[in-house]
Amino acid sequence: MHEAAMDTITPHRQGDRSVADRLLSVLDAFDLERPALSLTDISRRSGLPLATAHRMVAKLVSWGALERDDEGDYHIGLRLWEVGALAPRGIGLRDAALPFLEDLYEATHENVHLAVLDGTDTVYIERLSGRSAVGVLSRVGARWPLHATSVGLVLLAHSAPELQERVCAGPLRAFTRHTITDPALLRRTLAEVRRRGCAICERQITDDAVAVAAPVRGPQGDVMAAVGVVVPVDDARTSTLVPAVQVAARGISRSLHRPGGGNG
């Protein structure tokens, strides 16, 4: 049966994939490494036949979720960004946190991060950095494993025990020879993070950096984000960085406790 005829008979499903599944698979084809894709790329990366991908892309372009450039490639559209801005853990949280992130940056002139938990990953929703700051691989929208970053360790340490055990069960990816890859060590590290109220990561992602992070708590006292700073390993002023990061985290937390805090 031709695909068009199948769509006519079963408008909500093609095989085992609903229309929503197919639309989402098109959006999921884009990532930080491939922000621009041709129609052929979208078809291949989404696993959809070219004709189906063409129809799904057309729907998304007409709505504004995708945009097409002069070269014929597709990008995530502004309309999707507008919808994403409504997420309480996205732009609203970022806006509440930004004054404190700016203060932390002015105190350190290094990389300052704000991150949230998503599944078994850390997702960065804000980053401030100067030209002289140590080079980092993180950027807004990037995902990193929870066990390998300071913000990730803070989020994992305060997550549900089931998630902690799932992450500790591995695999724990190594980025440097210092990355925590032993489940027992990770469990001890998480306990230490809870005890100290902060996480300190040395050379976990790159060999030239140390990161410090602290938890941001929502109105109910739950940890809803983590704020962190990354400095060169040869300038690891942890004795001053820890209180600075904790002050920023507490300031963001207080801001979230106010009516309308974190809601844009």
Side-chain angles (χ1 to χ4, degrees):
M1 182 180 293
H2 291 297
E3 188 176 23
M6 182 181 295
D7 281 349
T8 300
I9 295 172
T10 57
H12 297 297
R13 287 196 171 274
Q14 177 182 305
D16 291 330
R17 303 183 72 177
S18 68
V19 172
D21 288 337
R22 285 178 274 161
L23 288 169
L24 292 173
S25 70
V26 169
L27 295 176
D28 199 43
F30 295 84
D31 56 30
L32 289 173
E33 285 67 43
R34 298 296 302 275
L37 297 172
S38 68
L39 183 61
T40 301
D41 292 332
I42 292 172
S43 172
R44 176 177 54 82
R45 290 169 67 89
S46 66
L48 295 173
L50 190 60
T52 304
H54 183 269
R55 287 200 307 278
M56 298 298 105
V57 166
K59 291 178 184 293
L60 291 167
V61 168
S62 66
W63 186 76
L66 293 181
E67 297 175 357
R68 193 177 187 187
D69 63 24
D70 294 337
E71 303 299 321
D73 289 336
Y74 295 91
H75 306 256
I76 295 297
L78 186 61
R79 181 74 182 277
L80 199 60
W81 183 87
E82 292 172 353
V83 173
L86 300 175
R89 294 197 304 155
I91 300 300
L93 173 59
R94 172 194 172 275
D95 288 346
L98 194 55
F100 304 96
L101 300 179
E102 291 173 340
D103 286 346
L104 183 57
Y105 170 75
E106 288 300 326
T108 62
H109 290 284
E110 294 291 349
N111 297 283
V112 174
H113 294 133
L114 182 69
V116 296
L117 175 70
D118 189 35
T120 58
D121 293 327
T122 297
V123 178
Y124 291 86
I125 63 173
E126 185 55 279
R127 172 191 165 196
L128 303 180
S129 181
R131 288 190 298 270
S132 61
V134 62
V136 294
L137 301 178
S138 59
R139 49 182 166 172
V140 174
R143 290 175 174 268
W144 285 90
L146 291 168
H147 72 281
T149 67
S150 61
V151 287
L153 287 174
V154 166
L155 294 169
L156 183 59
H158 296 280
S159 67
E162 295 80 6
L163 178 59
Q164 294 182 35
E165 286 306 311
R166 179 181 171 191
V167 173
C168 288
L172 299 173
R173 179 182 172 188
F175 297 90
T176 72
R177 61 189 180 90
H178 302 282
T179 307
I180 299 173
T181 57
D182 176 61
L185 176 57
L186 179 55
R187 291 186 180 93
R188 292 195 300 271
T189 301
L190 296 177
E192 180 68 8
V193 169
R194 290 188 292 269
R195 186 188 69 81
R196 297 184 60 174
C198 69
I200 301 174
C201 281
E202 183 172 344
R203 303 177 178 179
Q204 293 288 302
I205 296 292
T206 61
D207 283 316
D208 61 349
V210 173
V212 176
V216 173
R217 297 184 181 274
Q220 307 304 318
D222 55 313
V223 173
M224 61 181 299
V227 60
V229 63
V230 183
V231 303
V233 70
D234 57 2
D235 188 29
R237 301 156 289 171
T238 54
S239 61
T240 58
L241 287 175
V242 168
V245 172
Q246 289 176 325
V247 166
R250 286 194 292 268
I252 299 170
S253 299
R254 286 194 299 270
S255 178
L256 294 173
H257 295 173
R258 294 196 294 268
N263 294 321

